[in-house]
Amino acid sequence: TGGTDIGKGIQTALDSYDKEEDKKRGKAIVLMTDGEITEGSAILPPVLERAKQMNVPIVTVGMGTPQGRPIPDGTAFWGEATYKRDSSGAIHISHLDEETLRHIADSTQGLYISGDNDQNLATIDSALNKLQKTLMKSKGGVRREELSPRLALGAAFSLLLASVL
């Protein structure tokens, strides 16, 4: 079950932008994936054209290796690693598709970054810093208060009272 529909993911990200703020601030999409499109490849070209028209660059970050690796899926009862399986029950091997990721980035005036080391990942910040910046209005903050000290004091007092009585 499951699969990767990169076009649908990009479309969802584009739909989340406010239509009235198209010109007011810089926007970008950071797409971290292996680049393997397992579903919905037909939707990708029109979605990339829409991103280009909206001036939304896509920074693609390639995760994985071209040789391929199994996708971790947690641990079993005894602690051994488990991996994602396909519909036939075989372990699915994910291969990095740099060509697709470069195409997505180039189509939207974005940037492709290999996610195999920290230095490459640091370039994401510099790529996003090139975008137009605007002052954002604050909608207020949330003040949180820790209640556990009060509850602990109440529990200690209750224990003391119970031992005295």
Side-chain angles (χ1 to χ4, degrees):
T1 60
T4 304
D5 188 347
I6 292 175
K8 184 70 172 166
I10 294 171
Q11 182 177 14
T12 301
L14 292 172
D15 290 344
S16 71
Y17 289 127
D18 189 357
K19 306 297 184 260
E20 296 175 9
E21 293 187 1
D22 277 348
K23 306 287 186 222
K24 293 184 181 176
R25 69 175 65 149
K27 300 175 179 114
I29 296 172
V30 178
L31 178 65
M32 299 178 85
T33 180
D34 59 9
E36 267 190 318
I37 300 175
T38 57
E39 294 181 9
S41 61
I43 193 174
L44 189 58
V47 168
L48 293 179
E49 183 60 33
R50 181 176 170 214
K52 185 176 180 180
Q53 290 173 355
M54 291 176 66
N55 293 321
V56 178
I58 300 175
V59 178
T60 57
V61 181
M63 307 301 287
T65 65
Q67 300 81 18
R69 287 193 182 149
I71 303 169
D73 193 28
T75 56
F77 180 75
W78 297 107
E80 65 269 6
T82 59
Y83 299 98
K84 296 252 183 213
R85 298 183 177 272
D86 61 16
S87 59
S88 66
I91 293 176
H92 177 75
I93 304 296
S94 171
H95 299 274
L96 175 63
D97 185 356
E98 289 182 311
E99 182 179 329
T100 297
L101 296 177
R102 286 183 199 282
H103 170 70
I104 291 170
D106 292 343
S107 297
T108 60
Q109 285 75 45
L111 175 69
Y112 169 71
I113 298 168
S114 176
D116 61 354
N117 64 49
D118 292 342
Q119 290 175 331
N120 289 353
L121 293 176
T123 60
I124 295 172
D125 187 46
S126 65
L128 295 178
N129 279 334
K130 293 177 185 175
L131 294 175
Q132 172 188 352
K133 293 182 176 50
T134 58
L135 182 63
M136 297 180 71
K137 295 178 185 174
S138 173
K139 294 186 178 183
V142 176
R143 183 172 173 254
R144 299 187 187 274
E145 185 177 346
E146 187 63 50
L147 297 177
S148 60
R150 292 182 185 166
L151 293 173
L153 184 62
F157 179 73
S158 297
L159 282 172
L160 181 63
L161 186 63
S163 66
V164 171
L165 296 176

